[in-house]
Amino acid sequence: MRLEKRARILILTGNSLCHNPRALKEAEALADEGHQVDVLGSGANQAYRLRDEKLAAEKKWKFIGLGNDAGRLERNIYRAQRYLGNQAHRWVGWENFWQLGPMAELLLKEGRKRKADLYIAHSEAGMWAAEQLRKEGKRVGVDMEDWFSEDLLPEARRARPIRLLKELEKNLLCHGAHSTCTSEAMADALVEIG
């Protein structure tokens, strides 16, 4: 995929930057190539947000922490949504984006506001947001820093929306404009899902 010089790229991580070195390195590499890069991540934890701001200081790219302005009511609504999403999965098998946490909606909302030439997902919540943006006609991609649908122990998989994650991975890998992963072996295995 070729990007015009000075493309606007939005990295959708949904995590703290200090806990996502791969997104940080990608932002740095893309900015060094002349692209305008913003990284959308979690800003809900004040201590992590301060570390993230320090990591992003004086860089060619920008980190935007989301969720730090949520009030008590909004945080309680997010908790209730996640609880209800998990219960719906537990009792009737309905896999849903609420299981991915509040960052999924926050990334989508902020991604829509910040028009970009390319949106790159770096997390489960980021994949969901990128897939919604893809359906709206936006150019999206994914960095498979983890194989989200495959990397959990069997006991942890029971409570996760595995079918939803597999669908997101397949759609982004097969229909996205950009994809990267951590190794040749993983790339070879990911080709099989297409």
Side-chain angles (χ1 to χ4, degrees):
M1 176 201 67
R2 297 286 300 160
L3 282 173
E4 56 196 69
K5 220 38 169 164
R6 197 71 178 143
R8 183 161 169 69
I9 301 172
L10 207 55
I11 296 175
L12 310 169
T13 177
N15 297 314
S16 297
L17 194 57
C18 61
H19 292 114
N20 197 334
R22 195 162 163 92
L24 189 150
K25 289 174 189 173
E26 183 174 52
E28 196 75 23
L30 290 167
D32 284 346
E33 289 296 314
H35 301 295
Q36 181 183 348
V37 181
D38 289 343
V39 180
L40 299 182
S42 176
N45 181 301
Q46 184 178 357
Y48 295 158
R49 188 173 65 249
L50 294 173
R51 287 174 63 187
D52 292 345
E53 289 169 358
K54 189 174 181 179
L55 282 170
E58 300 179 30
K59 298 289 185 183
K60 297 177 192 173
W61 49 272
K62 187 169 149 189
F63 177 75
I64 297 108
L66 305 176
N68 60 334
D69 57 352
R72 178 178 285 174
L73 176 62
E74 194 172 5
R75 285 193 304 272
N76 286 335
I77 289 170
Y78 290 145
R79 281 190 200 100
Q81 286 174 331
R82 189 163 199 169
Y83 174 80
L84 292 172
N86 285 330
Q87 292 305 306
H89 179 250
R90 178 179 178 197
W91 295 106
V92 296
W94 179 55
E95 294 186 355
N96 58 85
F97 75 92
W98 281 353
Q99 291 178 273
L100 305 178
M103 287 309 298
E105 281 185 287
L106 291 171
L107 288 170
L108 177 59
K109 182 179 175 183
E110 196 66 25
R112 285 177 173 150
K113 284 188 342 191
R114 297 174 180 275
K115 307 282 187 223
D117 299 307
L118 177 65
Y119 302 80
I120 304 174
H122 266 261
S123 65
E124 293 175 351
M127 286 194 314
W128 181 83
E131 176 61 6
Q132 306 320 301
L133 292 164
R134 185 189 70 79
K135 289 177 181 177
E136 295 171 9
K138 306 291 192 263
R139 195 174 187 188
V140 301
V142 63
D143 180 75
M144 296 291 293
E145 58 187 72
D146 290 315
W147 195 342
F148 302 103
S149 66
E150 301 290 336
D151 69 347
L152 298 171
L153 295 172
E155 56 273 11
R157 292 173 59 84
R158 283 191 289 274
R160 300 297 298 142
I162 301 299
R163 286 187 315 273
L164 172 63
L165 294 172
K166 284 183 180 206
E167 181 182 329
L168 293 172
E169 290 166 346
K170 183 174 183 174
N171 287 344
L172 292 171
L173 287 166
C174 293
H175 305 295
H178 164 87
S179 60
T180 51
C181 69
T182 57
S183 70
E184 290 286 333
M186 186 175 178
D188 292 340
L190 288 168
V191 167
E192 299 298 318
I193 73 169

